[in-house]
Amino acid sequence: MNIARASIDKPILTWIIMLICLFGGIWGFGTLGRLEDPAFTIKQAVVITQYPGASAQQVATEVSEPLEAAIQRMAEVSEINSINRPGVSRIDVIVDDRMNGDALPAIWTELRERLQNVQSDLPTGVGSPLVDDGFGDVYGIFFAVTSEGFTDAERHQLATFLRREILTLDGVADVDIAGLPVEAIFVEPDLALTAQLGINPQVIGDALATSNSVAQAGTVDDSDTRTQIQSAEGSDTVSEIAALTIGIGGDLLNLADIADVSRGRQDNPAQIIRFNGQDAFTMGISGLADENIVDVGRRVDAHLAALAPEIPVGVGLHPIYQQHEVVDESSQGFLVNLAMSVGIVVLVLGVFMGVRAAVVVGTTLLLTVVGTVLFMAIFSIEMERISLGALIIAMGMLVDNAIVVAEGMQITMGRGKSSREAADEAVGKTQIPLLGATVIGIMAFAGIGLSPDSTGEFMFSLFAVIGISLLLSWVLAITVAPLLGHYVFKQGVDDGADPYSGPIFRGYAAILRQALRVRWLVVAALAGITMACFVGFGMVKQQFFPNSNTPLFFAHYTMQQGTPIATTAAKMAVLEAYLADHEDVVAISTFVGQGATRFLLTYSSEPPNPAYGHLIIRTESLERIPALMADLETFAAQNLPEGEFRTERLVFGPGGGSPIEARFSGRDPKVLRGLADQAIEVMTAASPNILTPRIDWREQELVLRPRYATERGQAAGITRDDVAETLLLATDGVTTGTYREGDRAIPIMVRVSPDSDVGIMDQVLVTQDGTTLVPLEQVVDGFAFETQNTLIHRKDRVPTLTVGASIPTDMTAAQVHSEIRAAVENMTLPVGYRFEWGGEYESSTDANASLGAQLPITILIMVLITVLLFNAVRQPLIIWLLVPMSVNGAALGLLGTGLPFTFTALLGLLSLSGMLIKNGIVLVEEIDIVRREGSELREAIIAASTSRLRPVLLAAGTTILGMIPLLGDAFFVSMAVTIMGGLAFASILTLVAAPVFYDIFFGLRRSDAMATTLK
C-alpha cells in the first residue's frame, strides 16, 4: 500500500496534516517576524583616529599607514579602505564575506587589541583609535524633530527626553540622535587690555579648566559612620564663569573685566539638518534583530501619541522613513497578491479541468502556502522582501505536483476505477519522478542560498522558503490531493472512450506526428531560434537591482573642497525653496556636512565633508519622480553652477557610490590625478551618457603655513607649538575646560572675538617665563600658500583615486559601461599603477561570481539526480538539452516590455529552469512507462505526450496568470515577465522539443524491447 492509498484509508492522519497546515499557518502569519530586508550583518567597522593639526598626507603616512599595517595582519580582514582628511583618519575595515556574523564580536575585540598595541608607536598628539562596530545598524523608524522658537539647550533636553522614553519600549535596540546644535561657552579676551596687563592667555585657560571640575575630596570617619566629602560646587552658569577671579601679579581680576563670556553655537558644526526648511534634529530608532519591526513601530507610534501632552507645543515629529509601515504594506500586498494568484489558479483549473479538480488542486495549493508560513515561523524565517519573493517564485512550481496527481486520478477514475485504485496508480508512477523533479527545483536555488559569503546570508531565506514550500507541496500532493480526490472526483464507466480524443488533444497529436517526421528540421529550427534569442538576450538592458517602489529619491550637491558648511547650507536652502513650490513634493529632509543616519539596510551615508549637501525628497507618487528629478537638475544647473549636483533613485539593492566607477591606484598623487583627468576625457569622448564626472579626492585646497623664524623664535623662547596655539586662539579657539549641564559636556573655548579688528599678525605670544610679550610677526616671516590634497583615499594601503559618473535615468549602468569599457581599459598606465572597475559593474560581478562559485556543484547534483531517477544517460541528456532554451521566452518577454534583466529576473530564470526540468522529467518518465507497456516508440511518444498536455499547459497557464498581480510591483516585475515569457516558450519546448529529442536519441533502436531499450 503506497502513501496515497494510506491517506485515503486512514483519513484522520491526512486531516490532521491539513488542519496543522491551515491553523498553524494562520498562527505563523500572526507571530512571524516582519522586516523590510533580511536580517543581514554588515561585516564592517570604522576606525576613527584624531591627529589635530596634521595635514591629510601626514595623517595618511603617520596614522593610517601603521594602523592599516596592523589591521592587515588579521586573517579575517578582506579589505581596508581609508579616508584621510586634515586632522582625522577614517579606516573602513571590511571582514571576509565568508565569516559567520556570530564571529564578528571576537574579530572586533581582536581589532581593538591590535590597534591598542600599535598606539604607542604613533606620533605624539595622535588620539586613541576609536572603533565603531555598529556601522551597519539600521534605524528604520526615522523622524525629523523640529522645534521652532526653542533654545539650543531646550532642544537638547527634548532629545534626551525622547530618547529616554523610546528606549523603555520593548523591542527597541537603540535610539540615535543626530544634528543637534553644537554649543560652546566662548571666552573672548580683550587683547589690548590683556596685552597691557601682561596677562598670559594660559592663565585664563588654567582658571577655566577647573571651574566646573569634579575631584575626589576624601572621607571622614567616626565611631559609627563614614561620611564622604565632596568637592566644592563649581561654576555651573555662564554668569558664574564670567565672575571667576584670576590672579595677576598679586592682584585679583574678574574674568568679566578682561573678557566677554557668552554661550552660543559653534561656527562649524559637523552636521546641519533641516526638515522642510526648518532647523531640525533626527531621531533614528532600531529594533532588536529578533523582533517584529511592525510591532515595534506600532509601539513607538502609540507611545509617542501618549507622550503628546508632555511634548511642548511647537515641537513637530515628522516621519522621514517608517520601516514598519513599509513592511506592513508589503505584507498586506503579499496577501492580496497571494489571494489573487490562488484565485486565478482555481479559476483556470475550473475552466479547463472542471470545478472538482479546481477544488482539489486549489485546496492543496492553499494548504501548501499556509503550511510554508507555519514552517517559516518554526524556523524563525522572517517575512521580508526576499522570503516573500521566494513564496511568489515558488507559486509557479507548487501547483505542478497537485495537478499531475489530480489529472492522473481524474482520468483513471473516469475509466471506471475506484478512487483508491486511481490514487494508487496516479501517485505510484509519479511520486518518485515528482520528488526528484522537486529536489532539482530546490537545487536550482542552492547556489544562492548556500553561498558562504554575504550573498548567501542575504539570500538564504530564498533558498529555505523555496525548499520548504516545494517539499511540502510534494508531501501534500501525494497525501492531501488523493484524499480530496477521493471525496470530490466521481467514478466513471470504462466504456473504452479515449479521454484524450478531444479536438485540442487530436490537434496536438497531429502536430507532434509531423514534428517527429521532420525531427531534424525541428532541431535546426529550435537551434536557430535559441541562437537568435541568445543574441537578443544580449540586447536586453542589464541592471543589478530595480528602483524601489517607495516614493523617495535623493539629491547630492558637492561644492569645491574647503567650502564652509554654512555656505553649503545656504546653497541647499535654494534647493529647498524651489522644491517647496512643487505640489508633488511631500517632504524635504536636508543634511549638510554628511549623509543621514542609516535608515535602510541598503542606504550608504556619505562620509563627513562640510562641502557636501544631501536631500531626501518624498513625493506623492513614483510616477512623478523622473520628471521632478529632471526639473531639479535643470534648476541646479542654472542656479547653482558652482557645485556638482546629481540626483539618485532609491533602489532595492546596495546603495552608495556611483553607477559608473573607475579606480586608479599608485603612490604618486600627481600621477593619479593625471590619470583621473585622462579617464574623464576618455569617458566623455566615448559616450554622451557620462554625466557629472567627478573624482573622490575632490579639488586640492589652498592652505596657509607660517614661516617660523627658528633663530628668533628660539632666542625669544617661542616654540612652533606656541605659534600654532596662538593661531588657533586667533581663529577657531582653544578648548580649555568643560561646562557640564546635566549629562551634557559643553566645551569652554578661549578665542579672539570674530568681530575683533585685530589681525592674525597682530597677535602676541608670551615667553616661557611668562613675563615677556612677543608680537607674532617677530617669530614668523609671514605665511606661505600651498596647495594640498585634503582628501586622500587609500585602498588596501595604496593611495587610490576613484573616477565616478552618473548616467541618464532612462539608461542602465550596464549599457553605459559597455559604451566606455574598451576606451578606458585601453588607457596606458605607468609602471606600478593599477586600474579596476567599481560601481554597479563591480557589485554585479561580485554577486554573479559568488553565485557562479556554487553553481557547478548544484548543477552536478541536479544532473546526478536526473541520472539516478532514470538509471540511464539518454533521458537526462534529453532533459538537459532543454535548459539552454529556457532563455528564449525570457529574452522575448524582456525585449518586448523593455524591462531590464535584474537580479530578481535572474532568480526568475533559475525558477524557470527548475520548472522546465521538472516538466521534462515527468514527460520523459511517462514516455518510458508507456513504452514499457509495449507501445511502439513513436506511438508511445505521442500517447505519453498527449497525456501530459493538459498538466503541462495548466501548470504553465496558472503560473503565468498567477504572475499578473506582480506586474505592478517594481521589485518583482522583471522576474514576473521573465517567468511569464519563459514559461510560455518552455511549454512548447516540453511538448515538442522533448519528444523530438527522445525520438532522435531512441530512434536508432525501434524494437519493442522494454527495459533494455531504456538504458
Side-chain angles (χ1 to χ4, degrees), residues 148-490:
E148 185 118 16
F150 286 67
T151 65
D152 291 344
E154 289 169 337
R155 289 188 173 96
H156 278 269
Q157 292 170 2
L158 174 64
T160 301
F161 168 73
L162 291 173
R163 185 175 191 274
R164 183 179 64 243
E165 289 291 330
I166 298 300
L167 282 173
T168 62
L169 298 177
D170 291 338
V172 172
D174 192 17
V175 177
D176 180 75
I177 302 294
L180 283 170
V182 182
E183 290 186 284
I185 306 298
F186 296 109
V187 178
E188 299 169 345
D190 185 326
L191 295 182
L193 185 57
T194 55
Q196 182 181 354
L197 297 174
I199 299 176
N200 186 347
Q202 184 64 42
V203 176
I204 300 175
D206 292 341
L208 293 169
T210 58
S211 64
N212 198 20
S213 61
V214 176
Q216 186 174 350
T219 58
V220 174
D221 295 334
D222 57 27
S223 58
D224 298 322
T225 60
R226 186 179 191 188
T227 304
Q228 182 177 346
I229 304 175
Q230 293 185 347
S231 60
E233 291 187 358
S235 304
D236 55 5
T237 66
V238 174
S239 59
E240 289 182 354
I241 292 175
L244 285 173
T245 56
I246 300 175
I248 303 296
D251 296 327
L252 294 177
L253 295 174
N254 284 336
L255 183 59
D257 293 334
I258 58 173
D260 179 47
V261 181
S262 62
R263 175 173 175 168
R265 292 188 181 184
Q266 294 189 32
D267 295 332
N268 294 295
Q271 187 177 38
I272 296 173
I273 297 176
R274 292 194 292 260
F275 183 82
N276 286 343
Q278 294 185 26
D279 286 348
F281 63 88
T282 58
M283 179 173 66
I285 303 165
S286 66
L288 295 171
D290 57 350
E291 281 283 339
N292 185 335
I293 193 62
V294 175
D295 292 340
V296 174
R298 288 171 178 167
R299 290 185 205 123
V300 170
D301 290 343
H303 194 60
L304 289 176
L307 287 177
E310 299 182 52
I311 298 176
V313 175
V315 174
L317 274 75
H318 312 278
I320 298 176
Y321 192 80
Q322 291 185 293
Q323 190 181 54
H324 58 292
E325 292 190 358
V326 174
V327 172
D328 192 42
E329 184 179 346
S330 298
S331 300
Q332 298 302 322
F334 165 72
L335 286 178
V336 172
N337 288 337
L338 178 62
M340 291 177 64
S341 296
V342 172
I344 290 172
V345 168
V346 172
L347 181 62
V348 172
L349 292 173
V351 171
F352 292 98
M353 288 185 71
V355 175
R356 298 176 186 276
V359 170
V360 171
V361 177
T363 303
T364 307
L365 174 61
L366 179 62
L367 290 174
T368 303
V369 173
V370 295
T372 301
V373 174
L374 168 62
F375 282 101
M376 287 174 63
I378 291 173
F379 294 120
S380 300
I381 302 173
E382 290 88 357
M383 187 175 288
E384 25 78 8
R385 180 175 290 131
I386 301 301
S387 60
L388 289 180
L391 273 174
I392 294 170
I393 292 172
M395 283 287 292
M397 296 184 279
L398 296 182
V399 72
D400 289 5
N401 293 329
I403 287 179
V404 169
V405 172
E407 163 84 0
M409 281 190 67
Q410 199 171 35
I411 294 298
T412 305
M413 290 180 68
R415 290 171 174 168
K417 290 188 178 182
S418 68
S419 60
R420 287 174 173 80
E421 292 174 322
D424 215 350
E425 181 178 330
V427 174
K429 70 179 183 179
T430 61
Q431 60 183 356
I432 300 302
L434 287 177
L435 177 60
T438 298
V439 174
I440 288 174
I442 295 170
M443 291 306 299
F445 296 89
I448 294 177
L450 298 181
S451 178
D453 57 10
S454 296
T455 302
E457 183 182 1
F458 188 76
M459 302 297 293
F460 175 76
S461 62
L462 176 84
F463 171 69
V465 171
I466 285 179
I468 291 170
S469 60
L470 290 186
L471 285 176
L472 185 60
S473 75
W474 178 80
V475 171
L476 297 183
I478 63 174
T479 55
V480 172
L483 179 62
L484 294 177
H486 167 71
Y487 292 144
V488 174
F489 294 149
K490 287 187 176 182

Side-chain angles (χ1 to χ4, degrees), residues 575-590:
L575 294 171
E576 292 168 350
Y578 174 74
L579 289 169
D581 293 333
H582 278 69
E583 294 181 355
D584 296 319
V585 174
V586 176
I588 312 157
S589 304
T590 307

